[in-house]
mmCIF file of all heavy atoms in Angstrom:
data_model
loop_
_atom_site.group_PDB
_atom_site.id
_atom_site.type_symbol
_atom_site.label_atom_id
_atom_site.label_comp_id
_atom_site.label_asym_id
_atom_site.label_seq_id
_atom_site.Cartn_x
_atom_site.Cartn_y
_atom_site.Cartn_z
ATOM 1 N N ASP A 250 95.005 93.996 115.487
ATOM 2 C CA ASP A 250 95.432 92.806 114.766
ATOM 3 C C ASP A 250 96.576 92.176 115.597
ATOM 4 O O ASP A 250 97.683 92.741 115.651
ATOM 5 C CB ASP A 250 95.901 93.153 113.358
ATOM 6 C CG ASP A 250 94.779 93.660 112.480
ATOM 7 O OD1 ASP A 250 93.613 93.636 112.895
ATOM 8 O OD2 ASP A 250 95.047 94.067 111.325
ATOM 9 N N GLU A 252 99.400 90.272 116.158
ATOM 10 C CA GLU A 252 100.534 89.635 115.455
ATOM 11 C C GLU A 252 101.794 90.342 115.943
ATOM 12 O O GLU A 252 101.704 91.373 116.600
ATOM 13 C CB GLU A 252 100.375 89.808 113.947
ATOM 14 C CG GLU A 252 100.419 91.284 113.518
ATOM 15 C CD GLU A 252 99.923 91.546 112.103
ATOM 16 O OE1 GLU A 252 98.883 90.979 111.755
ATOM 17 O OE2 GLU A 252 100.589 92.309 111.391
ATOM 18 N N HIS A 323 92.341 86.411 112.287
ATOM 19 C CA HIS A 323 93.194 87.114 111.318
ATOM 20 C C HIS A 323 93.881 86.082 110.443
ATOM 21 O O HIS A 323 95.011 86.331 109.971
ATOM 22 C CB HIS A 323 94.211 87.959 112.123
ATOM 23 C CG HIS A 323 94.943 88.981 111.332
ATOM 24 N ND1 HIS A 323 94.388 89.705 110.303
ATOM 25 C CD2 HIS A 323 96.239 89.447 111.422
ATOM 26 C CE1 HIS A 323 95.281 90.534 109.776
ATOM 27 N NE2 HIS A 323 96.407 90.396 110.424
ATOM 28 N N HIS A 327 99.270 84.646 107.806
ATOM 29 C CA HIS A 327 99.547 86.018 107.383
ATOM 30 C C HIS A 327 100.044 86.105 105.934
ATOM 31 O O HIS A 327 100.823 87.011 105.586
ATOM 32 C CB HIS A 327 100.510 86.719 108.342
ATOM 33 C CG HIS A 327 100.168 88.168 108.483
ATOM 34 N ND1 HIS A 327 100.795 89.173 107.746
ATOM 35 C CD2 HIS A 327 99.241 88.811 109.223
ATOM 36 C CE1 HIS A 327 100.283 90.331 108.067
ATOM 37 N NE2 HIS A 327 99.326 90.153 108.956
ATOM 38 N N ALA A 362 91.490 89.792 106.791
ATOM 39 C CA ALA A 362 92.592 89.222 106.022
ATOM 40 C C ALA A 362 93.911 89.936 106.337
ATOM 41 O O ALA A 362 93.912 91.146 106.646
ATOM 42 C CB ALA A 362 92.289 89.340 104.545
ATOM 43 N N ALA A 363 95.007 89.203 106.206
ATOM 44 C CA ALA A 363 96.333 89.814 106.326
ATOM 45 C C ALA A 363 96.436 90.973 105.306
ATOM 46 O O ALA A 363 96.062 90.785 104.145
ATOM 47 C CB ALA A 363 97.405 88.784 106.035
ATOM 48 N N SER A 364 96.909 92.119 105.791
ATOM 49 C CA SER A 364 97.112 93.303 104.914
ATOM 50 C C SER A 364 95.908 93.607 104.016
ATOM 51 O O SER A 364 96.074 94.004 102.870
ATOM 52 C CB SER A 364 98.358 93.112 104.040
ATOM 53 O OG SER A 364 99.478 92.988 104.875
ATOM 54 N N HIS A 468 98.218 97.652 115.561
ATOM 55 C CA HIS A 468 98.936 96.408 115.888
ATOM 56 C C HIS A 468 99.649 96.617 117.193
ATOM 57 O O HIS A 468 100.160 97.728 117.441
ATOM 58 C CB HIS A 468 99.988 96.090 114.788
ATOM 59 C CG HIS A 468 99.405 95.948 113.429
ATOM 60 N ND1 HIS A 468 99.312 97.045 112.579
ATOM 61 C CD2 HIS A 468 98.873 94.896 112.800
ATOM 62 C CE1 HIS A 468 98.752 96.642 111.430
ATOM 63 N NE2 HIS A 468 98.495 95.350 111.522
HETATM 64 ZN ZN1 LIG B 852 98.139 91.530 109.971
#
Side-chain angles (χ1 to χ4, degrees):
D250 294 354
E252 65 195 44
H323 194 36
H327 216 264
S364 298
H468 302 90

